[in-house]
Amino acid sequence: MVTCIMAASGGLIFGYDIGISGGVTAMESFLKQFFPHVLTKMAEAQQNEYCMYDDHSLTAFTSSLYIAALAASLAASKVTELIGRQKVMLLGGFLFFAGSATNAAASNITMLIIGRMFLGFGVGFTNQATPVYLAETSPARYRGAFTTAFQFFNGIGVLAANLTNYFASHIPGWGWRLSLGLAAVPAVFIVLGALLITDTPSSLILRGRIDSARAALKQIRGADSDVDAEMKEMMYSVEQAQINNEGAFKRLLRREYRPHLVMALAIPSFMQLTGVIVIAFFAPLLFRTIGFGSDGALIGAVLLGSVNLTSILVSTFTVDRYGRKVLFMIGGIQMIVCQVAVSWILGAQVGRVSDSPMAKAYGLAVLILVCVYAAGFGWSWGPLNWIISGEILPVEIRSAAQGLGQAVAFVLTFIQTQLFLSMMCCMKFGVFAYYAGWVCIMTAFVAFFLPETKGIPLESMSSIWATHWYWRRFVSPELPK
């Protein structure tokens, strides 16, 4: 349990970055230092609230991280194969620390972007290695809860960043440096955590270190635990994977891995298309758009982070009891209703009457709806993205498929963070209906094509494909021995 908790702390750095970016870009001292033209544009944009933050150089500050994260996630598969999951998490922590130091000391936009690139390398490595680490070390019947811990720490990072932004915004001149520099704290946390845990037994077996794998499994399960049966299952899975020595990425293209390839790409991609990433990044800017003051917008972001964190706890205690698909369905319907309602309110209230701010009652309604939306995400797509991605893949393609899925997710995040403010300027309230449409599609996809994985050991996961109404046509009819 301690091992899984320490590993899950890898979610802190991604969560902190998600929360810190939007808050910093809403600070006038930050904008004055690096983007003074945005302040001028804000003063001139009173007739169009949707467009006051539409600036590609500003969004490049946020989105540049994901170019580096994309490269890191693709490289992480090979690096993990060579040095193991634990060392990749350690590397990610060091890189994130370097990025936080560079951003805190930044004196120009170039330094900001370089710092964001370091942060991106750190996020790319940890996001690839941590969910796989948790899936491989967790007991089957509690795997969902332990893997949810990654998203829980992600939520802690978001909330901590929002609180930091609120207090730092009251420090004139250099508050933004404090917000960016404190990213070093979660980086130190994951470095210390990675130093205190062992590598996964599966990773050690893949590298031929059988005795170390047995010792690691005993450390994870407890010194008095009988691990012989579990070791045999792991060794059998790895042996089967090594029978065919073609590369993992090439193996992914084979027909029998078609279901795994689809899920490895679809689940992370759909998670990004819920719209929650851009809402989390730009929550302070969104709340200022609907009439909240600077402090009110940051407090709204803190509330949003608190709701998200609480909902992740709900998922932790229910995912292994009721299964994955039930939470997907409930969360999906909840998000669709909230996004449509927000779109309707904004369409009726924002930007229609010159110089007329949104009534407080409607602003409060938007805040409540966004929080209910965040809760739906927090107990469905938020944690389940990491759970499904980590558990549904066989060991021979797990790192490659996980890295490929995260790479696609980072591409989508880059595109969305770069274009969201422009989309809001062009589509206005329709941007929320756009994301509601995507949630409809992904909810239907899960209902028809995602098998239930609750309580199934990783070594027996192939059985869910062989019995699925659609995917069984692609996989071998033989069930695992």
Side-chain angles (χ1 to χ4, degrees):
M1 180 176 179
V2 174
T3 298
C4 290
I5 291 174
M6 295 305 295
S9 66
L12 280 173
I13 61 175
F14 191 33
Y16 189 87
D17 181 76
I18 290 173
I20 214 69
S21 299
V24 166
T25 52
M27 294 183 188
E28 291 189 9
S29 58
F30 178 79
L31 294 175
K32 185 177 180 180
Q33 174 84 19
F34 298 104
F35 306 98
H37 57 284
V38 175
L39 288 175
T40 303
K41 190 173 185 178
M42 288 172 60
E44 297 172 350
Q46 297 304 314
Q47 305 301 317
N48 190 349
E49 295 94 330
Y50 290 107
C51 297
M52 67 173 67
Y53 290 102
D54 180 22
D55 184 85
H56 287 296
S57 62
L58 180 61
T59 53
F61 163 72
T62 299
S63 63
S64 57
L65 178 147
Y66 295 97
I67 295 297
L70 166 64
S73 62
L74 290 174
S77 171
K78 188 63 177 178
V79 176
T80 301
E81 184 180 314
L82 294 174
I83 66 175
R85 320 220 189 276
Q86 179 255 0
K87 287 186 174 62
V88 167
M89 293 163 61
L90 190 64
L91 176 61
F94 278 122
L95 289 168
F96 200 84
F97 183 89
S100 66
T102 304
N103 275 344
S107 58
N108 52 58
I109 294 178
T110 301
M111 283 189 71
L112 277 180
I113 300 301
I114 291 173
R116 294 290 292 172
M117 298 291 276
F118 277 123
L119 295 175
F121 288 128
V123 167
F125 281 122
T126 54
N127 275 22
Q128 192 276 345
T130 303
V132 175
Y133 186 102
L134 290 168
E136 291 183 346
T137 57
S138 303
R141 61 176 178 166
Y142 299 126
R143 188 174 59 244
F146 279 125
T147 309
T148 300
F150 179 79
Q151 183 68 16
F152 179 72
F153 276 98
N154 188 299
I156 291 176
V158 172
L159 181 58
N162 289 333
L163 288 169
T164 300
N165 281 334
Y166 176 73
F167 290 109
S169 67
H170 293 87
I171 301 175
W174 58 274
W176 62 270
R177 292 189 186 274
L178 180 64
S179 288
L180 295 178
L182 285 178
V185 175
V188 170
F189 198 95
I190 188 175
V191 167
L192 293 177
L195 288 172
L196 294 174
I197 60 178
T198 180
D199 204 353
T200 70
S202 294
S203 178
L204 291 167
I205 293 172
L206 278 169
R207 287 177 284 140
R209 299 172 57 185
I210 307 301
D211 292 338
S212 297
R214 183 179 297 276
L217 188 57
K218 273 191 166 293
Q219 179 179 329
I220 294 167
R221 299 288 182 253
D224 298 329
S225 301
D226 184 0
V227 299
D228 289 343
E230 191 171 359
M231 270 294 294
K232 287 180 180 178
E233 289 182 355
M234 287 184 180
M235 292 182 67
Y236 174 78
S237 296
V238 172
E239 287 170 5
Q240 291 298 109
Q242 292 176 331
I243 289 175
N244 190 336
N245 61 2
E246 64 183 317
F249 285 105
K250 185 177 180 180
R251 187 182 292 125
L252 267 172
L253 299 177
R254 287 165 48 181
R255 178 180 174 83
E256 59 265 37
Y257 292 111
R258 189 74 49 79
H260 309 90
L261 178 61
V262 170
M263 292 300 167
L265 296 176
I267 297 299
S269 299
F270 281 147
M271 194 276 278
Q272 302 300 320
L273 292 170
T274 60
V276 74
I277 292 294
V278 290
I279 289 176
F281 274 125
F282 300 116
L285 306 187
L286 172 64
F287 292 140
R288 290 195 71 170
T289 295
I290 62 175
F292 284 52
S294 179
D295 279 357
L298 291 173
I299 290 173
V302 170
L303 180 60
L304 190 63
S306 301
V307 169
N308 179 58
L309 188 61
T310 303
S311 63
I312 294 169
L313 282 176
V314 174
S315 180
T316 300
F317 291 107
T318 57
V319 66
D320 288 315
R321 176 175 297 182
Y322 300 110
R324 284 63 163 149
K325 295 186 72 168
V326 170
L327 295 181
F328 268 128
M329 295 297 104
I330 295 173
I333 294 171
Q334 190 173 332
M335 288 190 288
I336 292 167
V337 171
C338 290
Q339 286 173 315
V340 170
V342 168
S343 182
W344 178 77
I345 292 174
L346 293 183
Q349 295 296 316
V350 176
R352 290 298 183 88
V353 181
S354 178
D355 298 325
S356 178
M358 177 186 286
K360 289 185 178 180
Y362 287 106
L364 182 61
V366 170
L367 176 61
I368 292 172
L369 285 167
V370 171
C371 286
V372 175
Y373 161 84
F377 176 84
W379 56 56
S380 62
W381 280 93
L384 293 176
N385 164 60
W386 304 109
I387 293 173
I388 297 297
S389 298
E391 70 184 4
I392 211 165
L393 303 167
V395 65
E396 63 268 24
I397 61 169
R398 192 171 295 151
S399 291
Q402 182 81 359
L404 184 61
Q406 287 306 304
V408 172
F410 284 134
V411 168
L412 287 173
T413 304
F414 168 77
I415 293 171
Q416 289 184 101
T417 52
Q418 185 65 32
L419 298 181
F420 176 70
L421 295 179
S422 295
M423 287 173 63
M424 192 163 70
C425 180
C426 295
M427 299 174 67
K428 298 180 171 56
F429 57 88
V431 71
F432 295 96
Y434 166 81
Y435 283 117
W438 274 112
V439 179
C440 288
I441 293 172
M442 63 187 71
T443 302
F445 176 87
V446 167
F448 289 106
F449 295 106
L450 180 68
E452 180 57 68
T453 57
K454 180 186 72 171
I456 300 175
L458 293 184
E459 293 74 24
S460 303
M461 199 63 74
S462 58
S463 63
I464 65 173
W465 307 111
T467 56
H468 189 270
W469 72 273
Y470 180 75
W471 298 120
R472 64 188 178 193
R473 70 192 66 186
F474 295 99
V475 301
S476 171
E478 296 183 4
L479 296 180
K481 299 177 181 179

